[in-house]
Amino acid sequence: MDIDYNLVQRAQMLLTLDHPLTHVREILLKEGYPQEQVIELMDATEEVLNYLVPPQYDKNKIGIDILHPGEEKTQGRKPTVDILIDKRSGRLELITSDQPETWRVANEVRKAIKRQRKATKYYH
């Protein structure tokens, strides 16, 4: 399928403005671009670029940013989420599961959650 060049340009602009891929899809559809083209472009973008959709935050989720080896801790460093924790269930989602540090931190967080739940159960 041929994809409208204006659609490609608009999608590129939205992605460079750090919109999540799902949000870009919604914007393009609301702007009236053909649904088939939008879906094909977004699927191709996700597949080819291995695009990681930023996690959706709400009052029930906590994001953890890990400073990985080779990264410099600077004020201009853009924070990223490596681990997402659901406050209600304690479930962890590893966003950067390819990084060993993410696994180490996740294991420590799991231990801390387990200890906290035992302490809470003991006092109630």
Side-chain angles (χ1 to χ4, degrees):
M1 170 187 293
D2 288 336
I3 297 179
D4 180 5
Y5 181 70
N6 292 326
L7 169 60
V8 173
Q9 281 189 315
R10 180 70 174 134
Q12 287 174 333
M13 185 195 73
L14 292 169
L15 289 169
T16 59
L17 294 173
D18 288 334
H19 286 288
L21 196 59
T22 53
H23 192 204
V24 171
R25 184 185 310 248
E26 291 169 9
I27 291 170
L28 295 172
L29 290 172
K30 285 179 185 175
E31 290 179 354
Y33 289 100
Q35 182 175 358
E36 289 176 6
Q37 290 185 23
V38 170
I39 291 170
E40 185 174 341
L41 178 61
M42 294 297 98
D43 288 348
T45 301
E46 187 171 26
E47 184 178 323
V48 172
L49 299 177
N50 194 18
Y51 192 86
L52 180 62
V53 178
Q56 300 297 315
Y57 297 101
D58 62 24
K59 64 183 178 192
N60 296 313
K61 293 187 181 176
I62 300 170
I64 297 178
D65 179 17
I66 301 168
L67 186 63
H68 297 280
E71 290 181 340
E72 291 187 31
K73 187 176 182 179
T74 61
Q75 293 226 334
R77 179 179 170 271
K78 186 176 179 180
T80 58
V81 173
D82 295 289
I83 301 172
L84 193 61
I85 305 169
D86 186 308
K87 289 181 187 178
R88 292 173 289 174
S89 68
R91 183 176 170 272
L92 274 64
E93 181 179 348
L94 280 60
I95 306 299
T96 56
S97 60
D98 59 320
Q99 300 285 333
E101 297 77 24
T102 302
W103 286 93
R104 285 188 209 115
V105 172
N107 287 334
E108 293 302 317
V109 169
R110 284 186 184 108
K111 288 177 195 174
I113 290 171
K114 197 175 200 178
R115 283 191 303 266
Q116 183 180 9
R117 286 196 171 160
K118 282 184 181 178
T120 304
K121 193 183 279 187
Y122 179 74
Y123 290 113
H124 286 242

